[in-house]
Amino acid sequence: MADIIKLLPDHVANQIAAGEVVQRPASVVKELLENAIDAGSTSIMLIIKDGGKALIQVVDNGVGMSATDARLSFERHATSKIQKAEDLFNLDTKGFRGEALASIAAIAHVELQTKPENSELGTIIKIEGSKIVSQEVGTVTKGTSLSVKNLFFNIPARRNFLKSNQVELRHITDEFHRVALAHPSIAFQFHNNGNEIFNLPVGNHRQRIVHVFGHKSNAKLVPVSEDTQVVKISGFIVKPEFARKSRGEQFFFVNNRFIKSPYLYHAVANAFEGLIKSDTHPGYFLYLDVDPASIDINIHPTKTEVKFDDEHTLYAILRSTVKHSLGQFNVVPSLDFEADQNLETPYAYKDKSAALPKVTVDAGFNPFQDSGAEQTSERTFTRERKATGNAWESLYVGLDTDLGKEKESDFSTISFESEAIASTIFDDQTESVETKTTTFQLRRKYVVTTIKSGMIVIDQSRAHQRVLYEKFLKNITIKEAVSQQLLFPLKLAVTPSDRGILDEIKESLHTIGFVFDFADQETIEITGVPLLVSESEVGMVLDQLISDYQMDISGESFSQTDILAKTLSKTLSVKTGELLDSASQLGLVNDLFACKEPKVSPFNKSVYITITENDIDKKFI
């Protein structure tokens, strides 16, 4: 039998490795930024074009590389971070596997320009699909500049799976946030299609958070600090009143490396329990310093997941630390039932002395002297009391006449509240709608109505979602939505990432009735809203919309229109627990069965069930 197992060619192996390392342009950004940080840079510039599909360039002022190191850096498993296997358990750098540049060069056009500080000339290398096109000596600035062009040019199938430029830019921005927040001692610049998005100067952690998320975020932050033998915790949590429906402002950093940990998130959420609503999430920027030997960061290709040796202790410390900060800075409401409010002196009066009260006395006042007005008032009161003494007899005047009229009246106009209705939806069309259908609400969750063969139990929330979904979808499609103009424009604060999402879907929001513009980099001014949205719900609707876009909630469709209609229908629909009157119940039933797809909600969940008369009869057998 012939041998069938063969070694893969290097370019094929690099493309396979690229599938693990490079999932989208944001993955390239992460690898290049981490390499620049490991090079000891104090200033890093990120340049993006067309969502990273056309160009990703990272320029740093780090130590640079010699000609030999520059050439060797594109080989697989070539790294300067580790020398032996034991080094994997004592890492203090970012990249260490040595596959990043080799994988990126296998699926893109790469140009590297680098020069060490003591060299007069630098090295310029151009690679296309793992093939070195040229390597020459040139005049370049100190540090390294790496350009990645035409990502996935030789893998069209992978390139077709990339999303729009706006979506890819949002993922790149998220990676940029994670790296920039972890290293406030490094200055960062971010340019997209020639426009400067971020220019972050050197500062501390609080200043970096404010520069990234806007100056209004400074008032939201509560400092967190705890130093134990297991872990050193620092950073900030966001005040409970600023909790959001999205998880955008949630950052865990372990040894200056961003991680995702549902276990640690649960510890923070547990500390916020009772302070925020159940459908909102707390915000936090927490930096954990632990012994590198106590964690394993090589369990995931993207290094965003780590394994702790003692998770239970870390959970308890983190939870108690957050609770302590919430209480220490008076974020948690407290009531002291034993304090005497009368003894609490305002701060402004602490240095003031007591003053005797002034009493004014009318020396000419005579209490035994009767005035004419008092005598007149007394006579008037006596006369009125005598006149109304026998007024009770007038209550029975004309009573017999009224009773006689009542006896002669007919009862044709009297309606009984508990009048029985035995009609069905198949009765004659001459009967009124009210007598055709009987509806009632069950436990403020279901609407029950009758049909010819039995009855239907409708989930009121899902039914209203379906009605609103098709209505919004129609308005967006035909662009005939009516906007309700606000008397006073409404201003809402937004973060730069939120602004990018709103800018992306601005046209779709206009077609549905939202009229707004950007007042500045951190504020939007809303002048019109859809008829179904009240002014008090605008912030909640936009927050939910941004949350859905960040979490890529799109169901079976990836269109902007579908996401927008689903979000609005979910936010504005009748919720479980709301009481509906008879007219609202009947209107909901009629609107539901006028929809094209009344059986399922916009999120593919059953809206109603049918219980036939036979099903009921079987229960009595």
Side-chain angles (χ1 to χ4, degrees), residues 12 43 63 140 156 204 212 231 372 432 461 495 499 561 611:
V12 177
S43 177
V63 295
V140 297
N204 54 34
V212 171
V231 60
S432 62
S461 180
T495 63
R499 176 190 168 96
T561 302
I611 302 177

Side-chain angles (χ1 to χ4, degrees), residues 14-281:
N14 286 338
Q15 288 188 0
I16 295 174
E20 296 181 357
V21 179
V22 183
Q23 299 175 356
R24 60 194 331 150
S27 305
V28 177
V29 172
K30 175 181 180 295
E31 298 289 349
L32 298 186
L33 288 178
E34 289 181 347
N35 285 342
I37 293 172
D38 287 339
S41 306
T42 59
S43 177
I44 300 175
M45 179 184 295
L46 172 63
I47 302 173
I48 300 295
K49 287 186 179 179
D50 297 337
K53 302 173 185 176
L55 172 66
I56 300 173
Q57 184 177 3
V58 174
V59 182
D60 65 67
N61 61 349
V63 295
M65 292 182 287
S66 63
T68 303
D69 288 344
R71 175 65 184 83
L72 196 59
S73 65
F74 289 98
E75 297 294 333
R76 291 193 65 195
H77 308 305
T79 178
S80 62
K81 313 298 172 58
I82 59 175
Q83 302 295 332
K84 52 187 180 297
E86 289 76 9
D87 295 339
L88 288 173
F89 304 100
N90 191 25
L91 289 170
D92 56 359
T93 57
K94 304 293 182 181
F96 54 86
R97 294 189 307 165
E99 294 186 11
L101 294 183
S103 300
I104 294 171
I107 54 174
H109 296 166
V110 178
E111 179 178 348
L112 172 67
Q113 298 182 10
T114 183
K115 188 190 80 166
E117 184 177 4
N118 299 327
S119 300
E120 295 182 358
L121 298 176
T123 304
I124 302 175
I125 299 178
K126 295 182 179 179
I127 302 177
E128 297 180 0
S130 296
K131 296 180 180 179
I132 298 179
V133 177
S134 64
Q135 178 176 350
E136 55 188 17
V137 178
T139 303
V140 297
T141 59
K142 170 186 173 295
T144 303
S145 173
L146 189 62
S147 301
V148 179
K149 302 178 182 178
N150 304 323
L151 194 64
F152 297 121
F153 79 100
N154 53 354
I155 311 179
R158 289 292 302 273
R159 189 176 180 89
N160 292 336
F161 273 99
L162 296 179
K163 304 293 178 60
S164 64
N165 293 344
Q166 292 83 358
V167 174
E168 297 299 339
L169 176 63
R170 191 165 70 247
H171 287 283
I172 291 175
T173 304
D174 290 340
E175 291 293 345
F176 179 81
H177 286 170
R178 296 167 181 175
V179 175
L181 290 173
H183 301 277
S185 60
I186 301 176
F188 286 89
Q189 292 182 1
F190 183 10
H191 297 265
N192 176 49
N193 293 334
N195 300 321
E196 184 179 82
I197 307 300
F198 289 100
N199 189 352
L200 308 177
V202 176
N204 54 34
H205 283 125
R206 188 176 195 124
Q207 292 171 338
R208 179 54 56 88
I209 294 172
V210 172
H211 285 139
V212 171
F213 293 98
H215 68 277
K216 294 183 180 179
S217 62
N218 188 33
K220 305 177 183 179
L221 301 178
V222 176
V224 175
S225 179
E226 187 66 42
D227 192 356
T228 66
Q229 295 180 350
V230 177
V231 60
K232 179 181 178 181
I233 302 175
S234 60
F236 303 89
I237 54 176
V238 179
K239 294 180 180 178
E241 59 263 32
F242 297 103
R244 304 179 57 185
K245 291 182 177 295
S246 62
R247 296 191 177 188
E249 298 179 357
Q250 294 184 346
F251 295 90
F252 276 121
F253 300 95
V254 175
N255 296 349
N256 289 334
R257 181 190 298 272
F258 172 81
I259 67 163
K260 296 178 181 178
S261 176
Y263 190 68
L264 296 183
Y265 165 77
H266 188 272
V268 177
N270 198 338
F272 275 87
E273 187 176 2
L275 299 176
I276 60 176
K277 297 180 180 179
S278 58
D279 59 343
T280 58
H281 305 280

Side-chain angles (χ1 to χ4, degrees), residues 448-460:
V448 182
T449 183
T450 58
I451 57 175
K452 184 71 175 179
S453 59
M455 63 181 180
I456 293 179
V457 182
I458 303 172
D459 188 305
Q460 64 184 33

Side-chain angles (χ1 to χ4, degrees), residues 467-479:
V467 174
L468 293 179
Y469 172 72
E470 294 197 3
K471 182 180 296 185
F472 283 125
L473 206 60
K474 178 181 179 182
N475 290 340
I476 298 175
T477 304
I478 64 178
K479 299 182 179 181

Side-chain angles (χ1 to χ4, degrees), residues 438-450 455-461 464 574-586 588-589:
T438 302
T439 62
F440 68 91
Q441 192 177 22
L442 179 62
R443 296 191 177 276
R444 297 190 178 186
K445 184 177 182 180
Y446 302 105
V447 175
V448 182
T449 183
T450 58
M455 63 181 180
I456 293 179
V457 182
I458 303 172
D459 188 305
Q460 64 184 33
S461 180
H464 200 206
V574 173
K575 302 299 187 293
T576 299
E578 293 188 25
L579 182 62
L580 303 179
D581 55 22
S582 300
S584 299
Q585 297 171 23
L586 189 60
L588 180 61
V589 173

